[in-house]
Amino acid sequence: VEVFTMFSNSVTNGGKTTLAEKLKNMLPHCDIISQDDFFKPESEVETDERGFKRYDVLDALYMDEMVTSIRNWMKSPASSHVVTEEPQNTCDNLKNVYILIVEGFLLYNYEPLNELWNRRYFLTLPYEECKRRRSTRVYQPADTPGYFDGHVWPMYLKYKNELEENASMQVVYLDGTKSQEELLSYVYSDIILELNKLRE
């Protein structure tokens, strides 16, 4: 039995959750752990000097719990209660492989996660498209006026810059404006290639 972990990171509304769900349906023994499930309650999230809740920082999340969940899955993937049946068209090099997709928006700048990955993907969007998609979503709590420009986008740029400056970080950047089918096809093929490399 082999374990393969991949991380899908993205700007807000970049399409990572949709991509992860579609990959799960194509891959055998595949689970997803979502960073969104580890947000602290609103009362524990700091507010900045402009009155914006600081959700787009690691301190807004129970990251220790997230790492524990990932490590527990890696220790015993077959016992996970959400492991799916093998898809009908499973190719031979996916037999006896357990795959974990970790998806979120702040994954690669958190040191304890860095040793756990096999493959990293980062979905990007240009400002206008990101803002347009964000405006169509309903959040709890709701975005306050100016929140995207005052907090969300600047934090994304800061985070992305830190990532790009880290020469040791191997990340596959994906264009979030491409169709889901195109992204899915590329990432699926890339996973198969990586699995083949691991076996050589």
Side-chain angles (χ1 to χ4, degrees):
V1 169
E2 294 177 69
V3 172
F4 182 87
T5 55
M6 57 169 281
F7 294 93
S8 171
N9 202 97
S10 164
V11 61
T12 178
N13 293 278
K16 62 191 172 300
T17 305
T18 305
L19 181 61
E21 291 291 347
K22 289 187 174 182
L23 281 167
K24 181 179 176 180
N25 291 333
M26 291 177 70
L27 297 164
H29 310 309
C30 182
D31 290 331
I32 298 172
I33 289 178
S34 174
Q35 192 173 34
D36 284 355
D37 294 335
F38 297 90
F39 269 115
K40 293 177 181 177
E42 186 182 0
S43 60
E44 291 183 36
V45 176
E46 291 179 17
T47 302
D48 70 12
E49 66 278 1
R50 292 158 301 175
F52 293 134
K53 282 284 184 183
R54 292 171 47 84
Y55 277 104
D56 289 53
V57 296
L58 286 167
D59 284 346
L61 297 140
Y62 294 118
M63 291 303 295
D64 288 349
E65 288 182 20
M66 186 176 186
V67 172
T68 299
S69 294
I70 294 168
R71 288 189 182 280
N72 286 343
W73 185 94
M74 292 174 75
K75 280 183 210 158
S76 185
S79 68
S80 170
H81 63 282
V82 286
V83 167
T84 54
E85 293 301 310
E86 287 194 9
Q88 294 294 309
N89 59 349
T90 298
C91 55
D92 287 342
N93 50 344
L94 285 182
K95 303 274 186 201
N96 301 317
V97 176
Y98 289 88
I99 297 171
L100 178 65
I101 301 171
V102 181
E103 62 99 357
F105 67 106
L106 282 173
L107 296 174
Y108 303 150
N109 296 38
Y110 189 64
E111 198 62 42
L113 286 177
N114 286 341
E115 65 198 58
L116 305 179
W117 61 274
N118 289 103
R119 202 71 170 139
R120 288 187 179 100
Y121 302 96
F122 193 105
L123 280 149
T124 63
L125 280 179
Y127 168 83
E128 290 296 343
E129 176 61 13
C130 185
K131 189 171 185 177
R132 185 193 68 76
R133 291 189 192 182
R134 178 97 181 187
S135 69
T136 65
R137 293 275 293 274
V138 177
Y139 289 90
Q140 288 299 328
D143 282 357
T144 53
Y147 188 67
F148 180 84
D149 288 312
H151 178 66
V152 176
W153 188 254
M155 292 308 295
Y156 161 66
L157 292 179
K158 176 180 179 288
Y159 177 55
K160 187 166 176 278
N161 287 339
E162 287 173 5
L163 193 58
E164 290 168 345
E165 287 168 7
N166 186 343
S168 66
M169 193 80 72
Q170 291 183 306
V171 178
V172 178
Y173 289 92
L174 304 171
D175 180 355
T177 63
K178 289 187 174 175
S179 71
Q180 281 290 331
E181 291 70 28
E182 201 174 344
L183 290 168
L184 184 64
S185 173
Y186 176 83
V187 175
Y188 179 82
S189 299
D190 193 59
I191 290 169
I192 302 301
L193 282 171
E194 284 300 306
L195 284 167
N196 287 336
K197 284 182 198 170
L198 286 174
R199 290 171 172 188
E200 285 171 2

